[in-house]
Amino acid sequence: MRGVLPLTGFAALTAALDVFAGNQLEQLRPATVAAVSFGLAAVVFLGFALLRDGAAATFRPVRELRGDVVMINVTTAVTWLSMLFALRYLEPAVVNVVGIALGPVLTLVLNPLLRRGAPTLRAEAWVAAGIAVLIGLLVWGSFTGRGALERTPGETLAGVALVLLTGVGSVANVLYSKRLSDAALPPRRVLALRFFLILAVTWVLVAFDGAPGVGAALVPSALIALFGVALPLYLLQVGIERTEPITASILLTLSPLFAYLMQLADHRLTPSGLTLGCVAGIVALVGAGTVARLRHDREVAAVECVPTV
Protein backbone atom coordinates (compact mmCIF):
# COMPACT_ATOMS: atom_id res chain seq x y z
CA MET A 1 0.00 0.00 0.00
CA ARG A 2 2.99 2.34 0.49
CA GLY A 3 3.39 2.35 -3.28
CA VAL A 4 -0.20 1.78 -4.39
CA LEU A 5 -1.53 4.96 -2.79
CA PRO A 6 1.03 7.31 -4.45
CA LEU A 7 0.44 5.72 -7.86
CA THR A 8 -3.32 5.94 -7.47
CA GLY A 9 -2.87 9.57 -6.47
CA PHE A 10 -0.78 10.16 -9.60
CA ALA A 11 -3.48 8.63 -11.81
CA ALA A 12 -6.19 10.73 -10.16
CA LEU A 13 -4.21 13.97 -10.34
CA THR A 14 -3.33 13.39 -13.99
CA ALA A 15 -7.01 12.89 -14.78
CA ALA A 16 -7.95 15.96 -12.75
CA LEU A 17 -5.37 17.98 -14.66
CA ASP A 18 -6.95 17.05 -18.00
CA VAL A 19 -10.45 17.88 -16.80
CA PHE A 20 -9.47 21.12 -15.03
CA ALA A 21 -7.24 22.33 -17.87
CA GLY A 22 -9.89 21.46 -20.45
CA ASN A 23 -12.40 23.58 -18.56
CA GLN A 24 -10.04 26.51 -18.03
CA LEU A 25 -8.82 26.52 -21.63
CA GLU A 26 -12.30 27.53 -22.77
CA GLN A 27 -11.38 31.03 -21.53
CA LEU A 28 -7.57 31.00 -21.29
CA ARG A 29 -4.83 30.68 -23.89
CA PRO A 30 -3.00 27.32 -23.82
CA ALA A 31 0.38 28.98 -24.38
CA THR A 32 -0.20 31.36 -21.47
CA VAL A 33 -1.24 28.54 -19.15
CA ALA A 34 1.81 26.49 -20.15
CA ALA A 35 4.20 29.45 -19.81
CA VAL A 36 3.07 30.33 -16.29
CA SER A 37 2.57 26.79 -14.94
CA PHE A 38 5.81 25.37 -16.29
CA GLY A 39 7.68 28.50 -15.29
CA LEU A 40 6.59 27.94 -11.68
CA ALA A 41 7.36 24.20 -11.86
CA ALA A 42 10.79 24.85 -13.40
CA VAL A 43 11.69 27.26 -10.60
CA VAL A 44 10.83 24.61 -8.02
CA PHE A 45 12.70 21.74 -9.70
CA LEU A 46 15.73 23.77 -10.75
CA GLY A 47 15.97 25.47 -7.36
CA PHE A 48 15.87 22.12 -5.57
CA ALA A 49 18.57 20.64 -7.81
CA LEU A 50 20.83 23.67 -7.38
CA LEU A 51 20.47 23.60 -3.60
CA ARG A 52 21.06 19.85 -3.44
CA ASP A 53 23.82 19.38 -6.04
CA GLY A 54 25.20 22.80 -6.94
CA ALA A 55 25.31 24.48 -10.34
CA ALA A 56 28.24 22.48 -11.75
CA ALA A 57 26.63 19.07 -11.16
CA THR A 58 23.14 20.23 -12.15
CA PHE A 59 24.23 21.57 -15.54
CA ARG A 60 26.94 18.98 -16.31
CA PRO A 61 24.53 16.82 -18.40
CA VAL A 62 24.02 19.78 -20.75
CA ARG A 63 27.65 19.28 -21.78
CA GLU A 64 28.12 15.53 -21.36
CA LEU A 65 24.66 14.31 -22.48
CA ARG A 66 23.71 17.18 -24.75
CA GLY A 67 21.79 15.12 -27.30
CA ASP A 68 19.56 13.44 -24.72
CA VAL A 69 18.98 16.71 -22.85
CA VAL A 70 17.95 18.42 -26.09
CA MET A 71 15.59 15.57 -27.00
CA ILE A 72 13.92 15.41 -23.60
CA ASN A 73 13.26 19.15 -23.92
CA VAL A 74 11.83 18.65 -27.41
CA THR A 75 9.62 15.73 -26.40
CA THR A 76 8.44 17.49 -23.24
CA ALA A 77 7.44 20.57 -25.24
CA VAL A 78 5.69 18.51 -27.93
CA THR A 79 3.82 16.33 -25.43
CA TRP A 80 2.53 19.04 -23.14
CA LEU A 81 1.75 21.71 -25.72
CA SER A 82 -0.11 19.31 -27.99
CA MET A 83 -2.03 17.99 -24.98
CA LEU A 84 -3.06 21.46 -23.80
CA PHE A 85 -4.19 22.53 -27.27
CA ALA A 86 -5.98 19.19 -27.81
CA LEU A 87 -8.04 19.81 -24.66
CA ARG A 88 -9.65 22.78 -26.41
CA TYR A 89 -11.16 20.48 -29.03
CA LEU A 90 -11.66 17.04 -27.44
CA GLU A 91 -13.12 15.77 -24.19
CA PRO A 92 -10.55 15.15 -21.41
CA ALA A 93 -11.14 11.39 -21.18
CA VAL A 94 -10.33 10.97 -24.88
CA VAL A 95 -7.15 13.06 -24.62
CA ASN A 96 -6.11 11.15 -21.52
CA VAL A 97 -6.74 7.63 -22.80
CA VAL A 98 -5.24 8.15 -26.26
CA GLY A 99 -2.09 9.60 -24.71
CA ILE A 100 -1.74 6.46 -22.59
CA ALA A 101 -2.99 3.87 -25.09
CA LEU A 102 -0.77 4.87 -27.99
CA GLY A 103 2.21 3.61 -26.01
CA PRO A 104 1.54 -0.12 -26.52
CA VAL A 105 0.61 0.39 -30.18
CA LEU A 106 3.73 2.41 -31.00
CA THR A 107 5.90 0.04 -28.99
CA LEU A 108 4.65 -2.85 -31.10
CA VAL A 109 5.39 -0.97 -34.31
CA LEU A 110 8.81 0.27 -33.20
CA ASN A 111 9.84 -2.83 -31.28
CA PRO A 112 11.93 -4.35 -34.12
CA LEU A 113 13.93 -1.11 -34.33
CA LEU A 114 14.22 -0.23 -30.65
CA ARG A 115 14.69 -3.69 -29.16
CA ARG A 116 16.18 -6.00 -31.73
CA GLY A 117 16.05 -9.59 -30.58
CA ALA A 118 13.15 -8.92 -28.18
CA PRO A 119 10.14 -10.81 -29.60
CA THR A 120 6.64 -9.38 -29.61
CA LEU A 121 4.16 -11.68 -27.92
CA ARG A 122 1.03 -12.76 -29.78
CA ALA A 123 -1.06 -11.47 -26.89
CA GLU A 124 0.66 -8.07 -27.17
CA ALA A 125 -0.11 -7.96 -30.89
CA TRP A 126 -3.80 -8.64 -30.22
CA VAL A 127 -3.83 -6.04 -27.44
CA ALA A 128 -2.27 -3.42 -29.70
CA ALA A 129 -4.74 -4.23 -32.49
CA GLY A 130 -7.67 -3.96 -30.09
CA ILE A 131 -6.42 -0.63 -28.74
CA ALA A 132 -6.03 0.70 -32.27
CA VAL A 133 -9.65 -0.28 -33.07
CA LEU A 134 -10.98 1.40 -29.90
CA ILE A 135 -8.98 4.56 -30.58
CA GLY A 136 -10.49 4.55 -34.05
CA LEU A 137 -13.97 4.31 -32.50
CA LEU A 138 -13.22 7.27 -30.21
CA VAL A 139 -12.07 9.31 -33.18
CA TRP A 140 -15.18 8.29 -35.16
CA GLY A 141 -17.37 9.22 -32.20
CA SER A 142 -15.74 12.64 -31.96
CA PHE A 143 -16.35 13.32 -35.66
CA THR A 144 -19.96 12.10 -35.63
CA GLY A 145 -21.06 13.92 -32.48
CA ARG A 146 -21.25 10.80 -30.31
CA GLY A 147 -18.63 12.09 -27.87
CA ALA A 148 -19.20 14.28 -24.84
CA LEU A 149 -18.12 17.55 -26.52
CA GLU A 150 -19.61 19.12 -29.64
CA ARG A 151 -17.07 20.55 -32.06
CA THR A 152 -16.92 21.33 -35.76
CA PRO A 153 -15.24 18.76 -38.05
CA GLY A 154 -12.26 21.09 -38.44
CA GLU A 155 -11.83 21.48 -34.68
CA THR A 156 -12.21 17.74 -34.17
CA LEU A 157 -9.58 17.03 -36.83
CA ALA A 158 -7.19 19.46 -35.14
CA GLY A 159 -7.86 17.82 -31.77
CA VAL A 160 -7.28 14.31 -33.13
CA ALA A 161 -4.00 15.35 -34.78
CA LEU A 162 -2.84 17.00 -31.56
CA VAL A 163 -3.74 14.08 -29.32
CA LEU A 164 -1.93 11.66 -31.65
CA LEU A 165 1.09 13.95 -31.42
CA THR A 166 0.71 13.86 -27.63
CA GLY A 167 0.88 10.08 -27.64
CA VAL A 168 3.95 9.97 -29.89
CA GLY A 169 5.69 12.64 -27.82
CA SER A 170 4.88 10.79 -24.59
CA VAL A 171 6.44 7.55 -25.85
CA ALA A 172 9.58 9.38 -27.00
CA ASN A 173 9.73 11.30 -23.73
CA VAL A 174 9.78 8.07 -21.73
CA LEU A 175 12.58 6.75 -23.94
CA TYR A 176 14.83 9.74 -23.38
CA SER A 177 13.98 9.88 -19.67
CA LYS A 178 15.14 6.27 -19.47
CA ARG A 179 18.35 7.09 -21.35
CA LEU A 180 19.17 9.86 -18.87
CA SER A 181 18.31 7.57 -15.96
CA ASP A 182 20.60 4.87 -17.38
CA ALA A 183 23.35 7.48 -17.43
CA ALA A 184 23.05 7.64 -13.61
CA LEU A 185 21.24 10.98 -13.62
CA PRO A 186 18.94 11.26 -10.58
CA PRO A 187 15.31 12.32 -11.16
CA ARG A 188 15.77 15.79 -9.64
CA ARG A 189 18.39 16.71 -12.27
CA VAL A 190 16.25 15.37 -15.11
CA LEU A 191 13.31 17.45 -13.88
CA ALA A 192 15.56 20.49 -13.53
CA LEU A 193 16.67 20.36 -17.18
CA ARG A 194 13.59 19.30 -19.12
CA PHE A 195 11.51 22.50 -19.29
CA PHE A 196 13.82 25.00 -21.00
CA LEU A 197 12.40 24.61 -24.52
CA ILE A 198 8.74 24.66 -23.53
CA LEU A 199 9.36 27.83 -21.53
CA ALA A 200 11.14 29.50 -24.44
CA VAL A 201 8.40 28.56 -26.92
CA THR A 202 5.46 29.51 -24.72
CA TRP A 203 6.86 32.83 -23.51
CA VAL A 204 7.63 33.81 -27.12
CA LEU A 205 4.00 32.99 -28.00
CA VAL A 206 2.82 35.05 -25.02
CA ALA A 207 5.03 37.99 -26.08
CA PHE A 208 3.45 38.06 -29.56
CA ASP A 209 -0.11 37.51 -28.30
CA GLY A 210 -2.17 40.66 -28.31
CA ALA A 211 -4.26 39.51 -25.32
CA PRO A 212 -2.30 36.82 -23.45
CA GLY A 213 -4.26 37.16 -20.19
CA VAL A 214 -1.32 36.39 -17.90
CA GLY A 215 -3.06 37.86 -14.87
CA ALA A 216 -6.21 35.79 -15.37
CA ALA A 217 -4.11 32.66 -15.94
CA LEU A 218 -1.95 33.07 -12.85
CA VAL A 219 -4.11 31.24 -10.29
CA PRO A 220 -5.23 28.37 -12.58
CA SER A 221 -1.65 27.97 -13.82
CA ALA A 222 -0.31 27.88 -10.27
CA LEU A 223 -2.79 25.10 -9.47
CA ILE A 224 -1.70 23.21 -12.58
CA ALA A 225 1.97 23.67 -11.68
CA LEU A 226 1.43 22.29 -8.17
CA PHE A 227 -1.26 19.63 -8.65
CA GLY A 228 -0.75 18.81 -12.33
CA VAL A 229 3.04 18.82 -12.67
CA ALA A 230 5.09 18.92 -9.46
CA LEU A 231 3.01 16.74 -7.10
CA PRO A 232 2.09 14.04 -9.69
CA LEU A 233 5.71 13.65 -10.79
CA TYR A 234 6.77 13.28 -7.16
CA LEU A 235 4.04 10.70 -6.45
CA LEU A 236 4.97 8.79 -9.60
CA GLN A 237 8.61 8.56 -8.55
CA VAL A 238 7.68 7.41 -5.02
CA GLY A 239 5.16 4.86 -6.32
CA ILE A 240 7.54 3.34 -8.88
CA GLU A 241 10.22 3.05 -6.22
CA ARG A 242 7.93 1.14 -3.84
CA THR A 243 6.02 -1.20 -6.16
CA GLU A 244 6.64 -3.82 -8.79
CA PRO A 245 6.53 -2.60 -12.41
CA ILE A 246 3.39 -4.65 -13.13
CA THR A 247 1.56 -2.93 -10.26
CA ALA A 248 2.67 0.50 -11.45
CA SER A 249 1.64 -0.16 -15.06
CA ILE A 250 -1.85 -1.35 -14.15
CA LEU A 251 -2.51 1.44 -11.66
CA LEU A 252 -1.50 4.13 -14.16
CA THR A 253 -4.14 2.90 -16.60
CA LEU A 254 -6.81 3.95 -14.08
CA SER A 255 -6.26 7.58 -15.08
CA PRO A 256 -8.66 7.55 -18.08
CA LEU A 257 -11.45 6.11 -15.94
CA PHE A 258 -10.83 8.81 -13.34
CA ALA A 259 -10.90 11.41 -16.12
CA TYR A 260 -14.25 10.15 -17.43
CA LEU A 261 -15.83 10.21 -13.97
CA MET A 262 -14.43 13.66 -13.17
CA GLN A 263 -15.56 15.17 -16.45
CA LEU A 264 -19.18 14.33 -15.54
CA ALA A 265 -19.06 17.41 -13.31
CA ASP A 266 -18.07 19.65 -16.23
CA HIS A 267 -21.16 21.46 -17.54
CA ARG A 268 -19.63 21.67 -21.03
CA LEU A 269 -19.76 17.89 -21.44
CA THR A 270 -22.58 15.39 -21.79
CA PRO A 271 -22.14 11.74 -20.73
CA SER A 272 -21.12 9.49 -23.63
CA GLY A 273 -21.63 5.73 -23.50
CA LEU A 274 -19.26 5.32 -26.45
CA THR A 275 -16.47 7.13 -24.62
CA LEU A 276 -17.03 5.12 -21.43
CA GLY A 277 -17.05 1.80 -23.29
CA CYS A 278 -13.91 2.58 -25.30
CA VAL A 279 -12.04 3.93 -22.27
CA ALA A 280 -12.93 0.86 -20.19
CA GLY A 281 -11.95 -1.43 -23.06
CA ILE A 282 -8.58 0.26 -23.56
CA VAL A 283 -7.80 0.14 -19.84
CA ALA A 284 -8.64 -3.58 -19.76
CA LEU A 285 -6.49 -4.28 -22.85
CA VAL A 286 -3.49 -2.39 -21.49
CA GLY A 287 -3.76 -4.34 -18.24
CA ALA A 288 -4.06 -7.65 -20.13
CA GLY A 289 -1.02 -6.88 -22.26
CA THR A 290 1.03 -5.95 -19.21
CA VAL A 291 0.09 -9.18 -17.43
CA ALA A 292 0.93 -11.24 -20.54
CA ARG A 293 4.40 -9.68 -20.76
CA LEU A 294 5.00 -10.26 -17.03
CA ARG A 295 4.08 -13.94 -17.32
CA HIS A 296 6.32 -14.37 -20.35
CA ASP A 297 9.28 -12.71 -18.63
CA ARG A 298 8.81 -14.86 -15.53
CA GLU A 299 8.69 -18.04 -17.61
CA VAL A 300 11.86 -17.05 -19.47
CA ALA A 301 13.61 -16.25 -16.19
CA ALA A 302 12.52 -19.60 -14.72
CA VAL A 303 13.91 -21.51 -17.72
CA GLU A 304 17.21 -19.62 -17.56
CA CYS A 305 17.54 -20.46 -13.87
CA VAL A 306 17.16 -24.22 -14.43
CA PRO A 307 20.60 -25.80 -14.03
CA THR A 308 21.93 -27.76 -16.98
CA VAL A 309 23.89 -31.02 -16.70
Side-chain angles (χ1 to χ4, degrees):
M1 290 300 294
R2 293 173 65 243
V4 168
L5 291 178
L7 286 172
T8 305
F10 169 82
L13 286 173
T14 303
L17 167 65
D18 288 340
V19 176
F20 177 73
N23 180 277
Q24 294 297 310
L25 290 173
E26 286 287 315
Q27 299 85 30
L28 303 174
R29 313 275 186 158
T32 302
V33 171
V36 177
S37 59
F38 282 100
L40 294 172
V43 167
V44 172
F45 289 129
L46 183 59
F48 178 69
L50 290 173
L51 288 174
R52 181 73 181 271
D53 303 316
T58 297
F59 291 107
R60 187 177 298 122
V62 176
R63 182 181 70 255
E64 298 178 353
L65 302 167
R66 182 175 300 143
D68 290 341
V69 171
V70 168
M71 288 308 301
I72 199 171
N73 272 266
V74 170
T75 56
T76 296
V78 168
T79 301
W80 281 90
L81 286 176
S82 58
M83 184 270 286
L84 289 172
F85 278 94
L87 284 169
R88 299 197 73 173
Y89 306 121
L90 297 176
E91 58 182 297
V94 173
V95 174
N96 187 292
V97 76
V98 173
I100 290 175
L102 273 182
V105 178
L106 291 175
T107 300
L108 177 69
V109 174
L110 298 176
N111 192 61
L113 297 176
L114 299 179
R115 300 176 63 207
R116 294 180 180 178
T120 299
L121 303 181
R122 181 178 299 179
E124 289 177 321
W126 282 109
V127 164
I131 289 173
V133 169
L134 291 175
I135 290 176
L137 282 175
L138 285 173
V139 172
W140 171 77
S142 297
F143 274 107
T144 58
R146 289 173 172 80
L149 192 62
E150 293 185 5
R151 288 289 186 257
T152 67
E155 291 173 331
T156 301
L157 180 61
V160 169
L162 287 166
V163 79
L164 293 176
L165 189 58
T166 300
V168 173
S170 179
V171 172
N173 193 257
V174 170
L175 172 64
Y176 284 101
S177 296
K178 181 62 175 174
R179 285 171 63 95
L180 289 171
S181 177
D182 290 342
L185 206 63
R188 62 180 177 274
R189 293 189 204 170
V190 177
L191 293 170
L193 299 175
R194 73 186 303 167
F195 300 125
F196 296 142
L197 180 60
I198 192 172
L199 289 176
V201 170
T202 52
W203 280 111
V204 167
L205 292 175
V206 168
F208 285 93
D209 193 337
V214 174
L218 186 59
V219 173
S221 298
L223 293 174
I224 290 173
L226 177 59
F227 296 106
V229 181
L231 184 56
L233 288 177
Y234 172 76
L235 291 175
L236 177 63
Q237 186 61 37
V238 172
I240 289 176
E241 181 183 5
R242 296 178 178 177
T243 60
E244 293 295 322
I246 179 63
T247 305
S249 298
I250 293 176
L251 286 173
L252 295 185
T253 63
L254 293 175
S255 186
L257 289 178
F258 287 145
Y260 181 84
L261 294 174
M262 291 176 183
Q263 76 179 29
L264 295 177
D266 192 332
H267 67 277
R268 303 174 305 129
L269 309 171
T270 56
S272 168
L274 176 66
T275 299
L276 176 59
C278 290
V279 166
I282 288 173
V283 169
L285 285 170
V286 171
T290 304
V291 170
R293 171 56 64 175
L294 176 67
R295 288 176 177 171
H296 174 268
D297 291 345
R298 283 180 174 173
E299 290 172 0
V300 170
V303 170
E304 291 176 347
C305 289
V306 174
T308 58
V309 293

